[in-house]
Amino acid sequence: ITVERAPLSRRPVVGYRLILEQVERNDIEWRRLLDVRKLHPFRLRDDDDGVATVIPDDARLLLRPLTWPVDDLLKILGPELSLLLQRNGISTTTLVAARRLRVLEYAILPGLRLFVQGVARRTLDPVGEPNNYREAPMVLHIGSEGERRLLLADRPRRELLLTLQSRRLAGALS
C-alpha cells in the first residue's frame, strides 16, 4: 500500500484530488484551472473482517473537500505544490496576481471509513495462505469495469443517497 503526502494539506493519504478554480466575471461560475488526481490501490477491511483491494484508477470521488482561500494557499505554498503547479503550466506569480481563487483538496486518508461501490472480482492470491487444504488462497479486487465506475464516498448512507438522488435529478433537468 502506497501512502504519500497530499500536496496542499500535507496529510498522509492513499489518494487525492486537487482542484484550483477561479471565479468568472459573472461572479457565479468557477472556471477550473487545474484538476489533478493521484490514487493508489489500497486495502479495505469490512465490518466482518473481510479484506478487499480497491483499485481506484478512475473512481468517482464523493468526498468532503478541504477548501483553501488563496491567501492561505500562498502562505503555505511548499515546494511540492509549487512543482505540481509548474508541471501543469501555472506559475506561482500568476496565483499571486490572480483574484478570487479557491483550492479544493479531496483526500483518502488511511483508516477513513468509506462507502465503496464497484465491480468485484476474486482472483488467486499468489502470496496468500489457503483456508484449508482444498481451497486456494483468494483475494477480492474492487474497481471499475467499462462504464460501471467505482464510487468512493466518505458520507453516511442517508446523506450519500440524498446526494446521489439530487445529482441524478439535476442531470435529468439539464
Side-chain angles (χ1 to χ4, degrees):
I1 305 301
T2 303
V3 176
E4 62 181 82
R5 298 252 176 223
L8 190 58
S9 66
R10 306 300 301 143
R11 299 178 296 174
V13 297
V14 293
Y16 67 84
R17 181 177 183 192
L18 185 74
I19 298 174
L20 174 64
E21 296 177 321
Q22 182 175 22
V23 74
E24 290 290 311
R25 289 184 186 164
N26 61 12
D27 288 340
I28 297 172
E29 296 178 24
W30 291 89
R31 182 172 56 100
R32 193 157 291 171
L33 303 174
L34 176 71
D35 189 345
V36 178
R37 297 165 48 113
K38 192 167 186 182
L39 303 169
H40 300 286
F42 60 92
R43 309 259 317 175
L44 183 71
R45 184 173 307 282
D46 72 7
D47 297 334
D48 298 324
D49 276 344
V51 176
T53 299
V54 177
I55 313 296
D57 296 336
D58 62 344
R60 287 180 51 206
L61 302 177
L62 288 176
L63 306 171
R64 289 182 183 89
L66 281 177
T67 305
W68 301 79
V70 168
D71 292 346
D72 290 347
L73 170 68
L74 295 175
K75 289 176 191 169
I76 63 169
L77 193 63
E80 294 88 359
L81 183 55
S82 296
L83 187 60
L84 179 65
L85 293 170
Q86 287 173 355
R87 267 192 247 134
N88 286 279
I90 299 172
S91 74
T92 52
T93 53
T94 303
L95 283 181
V96 173
R99 298 279 186 256
R100 301 168 106 178
L101 295 169
R102 73 175 174 191
V103 179
L104 305 164
E105 182 182 86
Y106 301 85
I108 301 172
L109 306 166
L112 179 67
R113 190 173 182 87
L114 284 175
F115 172 85
V116 176
Q117 179 183 8
V119 178
R121 299 235 184 270
R122 271 195 196 283
T123 58
L124 198 58
D125 186 355
V127 295
E129 298 201 16
N131 294 335
N132 62 48
Y133 71 95
R134 291 182 183 221
E135 292 182 20
M138 303 296 282
V139 64
L140 182 66
H141 295 275
I142 304 173
S144 299
E145 182 178 277
E147 292 187 19
R148 298 185 334 200
R149 287 177 57 200
L150 177 69
L151 171 65
L152 299 175
D154 65 352
R155 298 177 174 141
R157 176 178 282 164
R158 183 169 169 72
E159 185 182 333
L160 175 62
L161 290 173
L162 289 171
T163 301
L164 292 172
Q165 227 173 15
S166 66
R167 286 186 181 192
R168 196 168 290 135
L169 180 61
L173 295 175
S174 59

